[in-house]
Amino acid sequence: MKIVGNMDTKLKLCFVFIVALSRNSEHSVSGERVALRIVDKTHSNLGSDFNAVKKLLLKVQPASFSGPAHFQSLLGKCFSLITDSYKYEFCPYKNMTQHEQTLRWNPYSGVLGVWQQWQISNNTFEAMVMEEGDSCGVLSRSTTVFFSCGDVNKLIEVKEPNKCRYVARFQTPLVCHRDAVLVYPWLPEELQHQWDTVETRLYRKEITTKGYNKQLQGIFEEAGFRLSNATKIHLMEEAKKVQQQTKIQEFDSLNLCNSEFKRLKSEVELLKQKLKDNNIDYSNEELAEVRPVDSDGVDYPDEFPHADFMDDM
């Protein structure tokens, strides 16, 4: 049997069949006719369950904590917003993700950016910059998260003003004090002195505005507020190591899916033998009619009658 479609669709079909086969095996030992359900009620939820097995892969590791010390209270927390059929999840100092909530076979779930550095303007921590998200053509998705004063921590808005470039707004009491997000106070004393020197040289016209900005960028990089190119490369290399070391529990290839199918088929054969040992005729009419049904009680088509179908993909 030939299954036509892209790789992701084939894997999901395999996933559906294996779930059906395993559940059929579990419920057929008694010889009773049972109604089995395939994963969940809709194709959308099926896609969500499949993607739940799948871990979101990061192309770059999150940078270390930096910025105002009181922002440490956000570490380890995530904040969600559902709007326009999408669920957005902002995890400060970690990443921003998007999960499609529509009734589609293959709803999108992906990374809109990984925490990298601060956007700094006029001596102010203006926004968190999440970069190197999922690929979007020749681009990588990225998100800039701006902060506004509010009574509670809350993700209040996510927009996409330009293709694959997202802008979010996060409300928090952490920025309500007028000096809460000033950069200078959070620099080590040595870097404060360096900044003072740069300011003096600019005032005396010993350096240009371009030279001033370049030296200020160096100070921010040394403080960890901004990332140097070398640090960015290091974080990308670390992400590759994590991917290599982490065994992802999903059907990431047709060969793996085929192996799992054959393993479950072997288990079915053992169950058949158990039925035979207990003088239960698994070929009788009632047991032969056992098949999965969908949420509406309609028979699910027996599209995969034997294990060899995987070999034709």
Side-chain angles (χ1 to χ4, degrees), residues 12 15 39-40 42-54 99-102 104-109:
K12 287 185 178 182
F15 175 74
V39 182
D40 213 322
T42 66
H43 284 172
S44 172
N45 289 332
L46 173 58
S48 298
D49 282 352
F50 180 85
N51 288 326
V53 179
K54 187 177 169 182
H99 308 278
E100 190 175 356
Q101 304 292 292
T102 56
R104 292 204 308 140
W105 170 257
N106 187 26
Y108 172 77
S109 285

Side-chain angles (χ1 to χ4, degrees), residues 198-246:
V198 173
E199 290 286 349
T200 301
R201 294 189 65 195
L202 178 65
Y203 176 76
R204 293 175 177 174
K205 297 183 179 180
E206 296 176 0
I207 56 174
T208 64
T209 300
K210 183 178 180 180
Y212 167 82
N213 290 331
K214 183 177 180 181
Q215 291 188 42
L216 211 56
Q217 173 71 14
I219 292 173
F220 296 156
E221 288 180 2
E222 190 171 345
F225 302 155
R226 302 279 298 173
L227 295 186
S228 65
N229 289 332
T231 302
K232 289 181 180 180
I233 292 173
H234 172 71
L235 292 175
M236 288 182 178
E237 291 175 345
E238 289 300 307
K240 290 180 181 178
K241 290 179 182 178
V242 171
Q243 291 180 24
Q244 292 171 355
Q245 295 171 357
T246 302

